[in-house]
Amino acid sequence: MGIAASDVIPLSHARANFSELAEEVKAGAEKIITKNGESYIALIDAQRLDYYHRLERERIHLLLIDEATRGLDDVAAGRVKSARAVLQILKRRRAA
């Protein structure tokens, strides 16, 4: 869903017409409120915001699964170092 020019609203207009804008947003529109000619905030439906948050959590979970899979692949391929060896390397780098 794209943002149309009519969905970009100056803050002064948003203040004066907030109830009307809220009804439009509840009906499915998204509004960008500008301040001094630049994007300032977005006005979206609370359910859509919740949906966006769920999508972000899913994305994070998929990234974690991908990292875990790569880690397991490294272990299976023998690309591992002992924790003790890695700590010694880190200590030497810090001392240098």
Side-chain angles (χ1 to χ4, degrees):
M1 170 188 222
I3 300 289
S6 61
D7 293 329
V8 179
I9 312 291
L11 183 58
S12 58
H13 178 6
R15 265 192 220 117
N17 300 292
F18 188 75
S19 293
E20 177 185 313
L21 291 174
E23 291 300 321
E24 290 178 32
V25 167
K26 190 64 181 163
E30 293 180 346
K31 302 293 182 181
I32 301 295
I33 311 297
T34 61
K35 183 176 181 181
N36 299 325
E38 295 186 16
S39 295
Y40 189 56
I41 61 169
L43 186 61
I44 64 171
D45 179 67
Q47 289 179 334
R48 186 169 299 189
L49 178 62
D50 183 53
Y51 171 72
Y52 291 159
H53 285 184
R54 286 193 319 266
L55 283 179
E56 181 62 17
R57 281 192 303 273
E58 286 180 28
R59 182 180 148 293
I60 289 168
H61 290 152
L62 290 172
L63 290 172
L64 289 172
I65 290 170
D66 184 52
E67 288 289 323
T69 301
R70 286 195 278 156
L72 291 172
D73 290 344
D74 284 345
V75 169
R79 294 184 299 263
V80 296
K81 294 181 181 179
S82 73
R84 206 175 297 266
V86 172
L87 288 173
Q88 288 175 352
I89 292 169
L90 291 174
K91 284 179 184 178
R92 279 190 227 123
R93 284 184 189 166
R94 285 185 184 164

